[in-house]
Amino acid sequence: MKRWERPARPLPLRARPMKNETVVSFVARLAAANDFPVSLLLRTIGDCVPGKHVLDRDARLNAAALDRLVVLSRTPAEHLRRALPTLLTAPQYVPLPTGRPVLRFFRGDPHPLLACRICTLQHGPATPVAWEYRSLNRFVCLSHHRWIGEGPHLDLRSAPEIVAAQVQYADLAARIGHNATYKALTTSWQMTFRWLREKRHPALISRWTTRAATLGADRQLPGSVRFPEIVQLMEVTGDPDWRRHVAMVEQPDLRIFYRHTARRLGIEPDAFTTGNSQSDPLAEWVRILRHRFATIRDELWRGHYRQPNWRAELTPFPESCHFE
């Protein structure tokens, strides 16, 4: 007799489901609370092929498997549905069998991420590991001041500027929208990584090294230690007005942009305008943006200088929304 064919009995200890947690994560925490192998508990819930490779995935349950999970976890079905979003959605492709309890594993989209360790322990002290669906705009657990984004999870109480950067990031995302935020984040993340790898802007590298030592991070200087500067850079490169400025002004006036960015990052005002700045990642971003709008810019300035009174006020630039 297979395990899912045996009568389901309540487990001795409970684990409270976390908001937006995956089904597999909840079952794994329930198994840990009861000192029970997670693969056996998954097989007890329904017919499946579990293994370590599914622990960061999610699972769909048919009605019979959900009923068994309710009994095993001693948690009402409505509570599970409220916390575990997968239980509210039907399979998109092949429907689950109905003649027996069944689980089917799948990769979540977006992929589940590790939850805050302290938040997890508050929902069950057996294990600090849980996988959850969350907004890509959340890199920091503001409740416990912990980094929960890419790289190791770190205690940020000694680096409040990273916590403050999360608040700034959320405000920026609400202001410019998801797509613009994602583009600005990708650009700024890669740009700061290249500054680090190419050993540019020693003041920034020194700041990141000191911050990493304070946090106990490894020598690779993960994205968490660069996050305040990433957000500061995003506020410039993601700003439609600054993008319009970069795309439309004449070459000498780009100094205004470079100096503003340097001041925003807290480095020397001429950091991007002297030395080997022409090969700097920020200068490359400027060249790419200006190339995209070269035709519009050239037409505007040619028309302006052809006017008899070309020293008069310049024709207004296009609306900033055109420079995303």
Side-chain angles (χ1 to χ4, degrees), residues 3-319:
R3 300 194 68 90
W4 53 265
E5 294 177 313
R6 303 173 185 177
R9 295 185 176 87
L11 292 169
L13 300 178
R14 298 179 62 187
R16 291 188 297 125
M18 298 174 60
K19 184 68 174 175
N20 294 325
E21 188 175 11
T22 69
V23 171
V24 173
S25 173
F26 172 64
V27 173
R29 290 195 304 109
L30 182 63
N34 290 276
D35 195 21
F36 198 82
V38 61
S39 59
L40 291 184
L41 185 54
L42 288 166
R43 288 193 178 99
T44 301
I45 295 170
D47 187 8
C48 63
V49 184
K52 292 183 179 180
H53 65 286
V54 305
L55 295 180
D56 64 343
R57 299 188 183 186
D58 205 346
R60 299 194 187 279
L61 286 66
N62 64 3
L66 177 58
D67 290 342
R68 293 178 65 83
L69 179 58
V70 167
V71 174
L72 289 162
S73 66
R74 295 189 290 150
T75 305
E78 58 268 24
H79 290 186
L80 293 176
R81 290 192 182 97
R82 195 177 317 144
L84 313 179
T86 305
L87 297 181
L88 295 174
T89 59
Q92 297 179 355
Y93 304 108
V94 181
L96 296 176
T98 57
R100 67 187 189 280
V102 171
L103 284 83
R104 289 292 181 265
F105 302 106
F106 68 98
R107 291 186 178 276
D109 185 22
H111 195 278
L113 302 170
L114 280 173
C116 168
R117 175 189 180 96
I118 300 176
C119 291
T120 303
L121 290 173
Q122 288 179 344
H123 285 76
T127 174
V129 178
W131 295 86
E132 65 177 356
Y133 296 105
R134 66 169 179 263
S135 167
L136 296 178
N137 293 339
R138 284 188 59 210
F139 290 89
V140 174
C141 175
L142 295 178
S143 299
H144 301 112
H145 290 190
R146 289 188 66 84
W147 177 262
I148 57 175
E150 179 187 89
H153 288 195
L154 300 170
D155 185 342
L156 301 179
R157 286 176 293 181
S158 59
E161 66 273 18
I162 300 179
V163 180
Q166 171 62 62
V167 178
Q168 292 175 279
Y169 181 90
D171 291 343
L172 178 65
R175 191 165 65 247
I176 67 176
H178 172 78
N179 290 338
T181 301
Y182 179 76
K183 291 178 182 178
L185 173 65
T186 302
T187 298
S188 300
W189 198 288
Q190 293 174 347
M191 207 176 292
T192 58
F193 177 75
R194 282 191 56 190
W195 288 341
L196 177 63
R197 185 185 62 190
E198 298 171 8
K199 295 181 172 54
R200 296 177 181 273
H201 312 304
L204 287 179
I205 295 177
S206 175
R207 188 187 309 166
W208 295 334
T209 304
T210 302
R211 188 179 292 150
T214 301
L215 293 172
D218 58 32
R219 296 184 179 180
Q220 297 301 316
L221 301 185
S224 52
V225 304
R226 309 194 312 271
F227 190 61
E229 289 70 32
I230 289 171
V231 175
Q232 290 163 356
L233 190 57
M234 286 178 64
E235 289 180 330
V236 181
T237 61
D239 185 289
D241 292 335
W242 276 114
R243 292 174 69 88
R244 176 176 61 182
H245 175 88
V246 170
M248 296 302 295
V249 299
E250 294 185 294
Q251 192 72 27
D253 291 332
L254 289 175
R255 288 176 296 183
I256 300 173
F257 166 76
Y258 286 126
R259 288 172 181 169
H260 172 80
T261 305
R263 285 195 300 268
R264 193 73 188 86
L265 294 171
I267 58 179
E268 292 296 324
D270 60 351
F272 298 111
T273 56
T274 58
N276 61 347
S277 59
Q278 290 302 312
S279 58
D280 191 279
L282 182 61
E284 292 180 10
W285 177 83
V286 167
R287 284 195 293 272
I288 292 171
L289 185 63
R290 287 177 66 80
H291 177 73
R292 285 177 54 198
F293 299 99
T295 301
I296 299 174
R297 179 179 63 253
D298 292 345
E299 288 178 356
L300 183 143
W301 285 104
R302 276 199 303 268
H304 175 66
Y305 285 126
R306 284 173 181 169
Q307 297 177 14
N309 56 342
W310 62 269
R311 293 183 182 275
E313 186 175 348
L314 177 66
T315 302
F317 292 154
E319 293 291 332

